[in-house]
Amino acid sequence: MEKAATAWDAGQVRTWLERRIAAARLDQAAADRRGYEAQGDYDDAAAEEWVCRALLAGDHANDPTAFAAHIKTVLGREEYPVTGINDDRRFDRGVRAQLRRIAKMTKANDGFANTLRYRS
């Protein structure tokens, strides 16, 4: 039996992005406290926060087609300017991975209801 298609809920997408920003900030703080060995975790969390902030800006989340186009535009950038990270390449890879993951979620319109701290 197939799952019934649900309607796009812009408010839920915005809430999901806001909660992922908060979770990423907590992950960065935890990685910062762990020190040198957690620099990769810090960069990954910083990438997730950057992506969610970039996607939350504007009113692109109102329409799934516009949101997908915005993701594609951000993914097409050459650089992602940010300060305070440890490894630029790792950060760029993290940004691209997050954007691809959110693009898949947008295409399937699935996963934005999971607003728990940790993703499953």
Side-chain angles (χ1 to χ4, degrees):
M1 196 189 279
E2 287 189 31
K3 198 169 35 170
T6 58
W8 181 260
D9 186 357
Q12 188 176 46
V13 172
R14 281 190 208 88
T15 299
W16 186 87
L17 289 169
E18 289 166 355
R19 292 203 179 161
R20 290 310 314 156
I21 289 170
R25 291 185 60 97
L26 290 172
D27 291 345
Q28 287 175 60
D32 199 31
R33 283 190 301 272
R34 289 194 329 257
Y36 181 78
E37 76 273 355
Q39 286 182 348
D41 294 340
Y42 182 90
D43 290 345
D44 289 341
E48 183 175 13
E49 180 185 5
W50 190 93
V51 166
C52 290
R53 284 192 188 283
L55 296 179
L56 195 56
D59 61 349
H60 305 286
N62 291 337
D63 177 49
T65 307
F67 193 63
H70 183 56
I71 291 171
K72 196 173 202 177
T73 301
V74 174
L75 190 55
R77 291 184 186 174
E78 290 293 318
E79 302 183 330
Y80 304 103
V82 70
T83 58
I85 58 170
N86 300 298
D87 184 354
D88 289 336
R89 279 186 277 158
R90 182 174 39 218
F91 177 79
D92 286 348
R93 280 194 312 265
V95 167
R96 292 180 196 286
Q98 289 294 328
L99 286 167
R100 285 190 300 270
R101 184 175 68 84
I102 295 172
K104 287 179 186 177
M105 289 171 58
T106 302
K107 184 176 181 182
N109 191 16
D110 187 35
F112 293 110
N114 183 9
T115 56
L116 300 176
R117 164 99 166 76
Y118 296 102
R119 293 184 307 264
S120 55

